[in-house]
Amino acid sequence: DGGITQSPKYLFRKEGQNVTLSCEQNLNHDAMYWYRQDPGQGLRLIYYSQIVNDFQKGDIAEGYSVSREKKESFPLTVTSAQKNPTAFYLCATKGPGAQGSPLHFGNGTRLTVT
Amino acid sequence: KQEVTQIPAALSVPEGENLVLNCSFTDSAIYNLQWFRQDPGKGLTSLLLIQSSQREQTSGRLNASLDKSSGRSTLYIAASQPGDSATYLCGNYGQNFVFGPGTRLSVLP
């Protein structure tokens, strides 16, 4: 069953701790994305990767880091430098073709930092 | 930088009504227009994709149209059902996807 798996579904952390969110896909897609969603706002792009071993900052990359060592995996680390980390985090992938294929999403991870 | 607006922000209708959701872009350079559905606490589910050379797409009771000259897209839902209740988001893929804030739809039985 092809898809995108984000884990865990819920994550609780104390302020000052780094935390890593997992995103795994078996769609064989090259492009992977991390978005943040806050109530009443559209999705905001954190980081994206078009190919293994390469990634680019999105609009709100400060306080986050990523790696792309394997095609299937694109983990996101929320560092203690992120001022307001509590949010819903969504991972997405996109198939081949610069424009003609749809974006697919995982089910998200809700991070709460206290 | 492109911005996306969606009108209305929220909509409540009785079951069976036909309805239209609107999506507008500040930049008419629309490449890949995608409509999504999001249920509470879930990720986004792709509904329809209109590629840059197309004007509309249909899937079941859903029809999405795109007017690139005005930078607008509409999602038409026919014969709405309570199961259609969700937040509907539109997004445009240029260099990267830009999303609207969504329209929260409630269909009352």
Side-chain angles (χ1 to χ4, degrees), chain B residues 67-91:
Chain B
D67 182 348
K68 293 178 70 174
S69 63
S70 64
R72 294 182 180 180
S73 177
T74 60
L75 178 66
Y76 177 82
I77 302 177
S80 58
Q81 302 172 358
D84 295 331
S85 298
T87 297
Y88 292 80
L89 296 92
C90 62

Side-chain angles (χ1 to χ4, degrees), chain A residues 16-21 36 46-47 57-66 76-86 89 111 113:
Chain A
Q17 294 179 335
N18 293 352
V19 61
T20 297
L21 283 60
R36 170 181 172 139
I46 305 171
Y47 267 98
K57 292 182 178 180
D59 299 321
I60 56 165
E62 185 175 351
Y64 299 97
S65 66
V66 294
L76 173 73
T77 296
V78 184
T79 75
S80 57
Q82 168 51 231
K83 299 302 181 188
N84 185 20
T86 295
Y89 291 88
L111 172 64
V113 176

